[in-house]
Amino acid sequence: MEDWLWNIRIFISLCWLVVAPFFFSGYMFTPAQLANGFMMSVIVLVGAGTVLHSVLDCSISVLLWKFVKTTVPSIKLIRG
């Protein structure tokens, strides 16, 4: 398998290792914030996470498409 693909997988895994403990430990929100606005906190986290995840997915797919388009000669005929 390609080295760059493994590098992406390792990078994403490291990001999860950095972010996940803050979320699961309850460190991100005080108990008062959770009691007063738990649903809003969850909605904001899910909404922001979804947008960020979509932006990253789109960026990765564009980079991969450019790589594949330049690597595979027959794909150059496809517009995009």
Side-chain angles (χ1 to χ4, degrees):
M1 189 166 287
E2 299 290 332
D3 289 337
W4 61 270
L5 186 56
W6 282 108
N7 291 339
I8 290 173
R9 290 178 181 171
I10 291 170
F11 175 73
I12 291 172
S13 300
L14 290 174
C15 289
W16 269 105
L17 288 174
V18 169
V19 173
F22 291 105
F23 181 74
F24 290 117
S25 69
Y27 181 75
M28 294 177 72
F29 298 104
T30 64
Q33 287 174 321
L34 292 174
N36 292 332
F38 178 73
M39 287 305 292
M40 186 55 128
S41 299
V42 170
I43 290 170
V44 169
L45 278 175
V46 170
T50 300
V51 170
L52 180 63
H53 191 253
S54 297
V55 168
L56 288 173
D57 280 348
C58 183
S59 302
I60 291 170
S61 65
V62 167
L63 290 173
L64 287 174
W65 174 249
K66 288 181 179 181
F67 173 74
V68 169
K69 192 174 167 183
T70 59
T71 305
V72 181
S74 62
I75 293 191
K76 289 182 181 180
L77 301 173
I78 299 173
R79 289 186 157 187

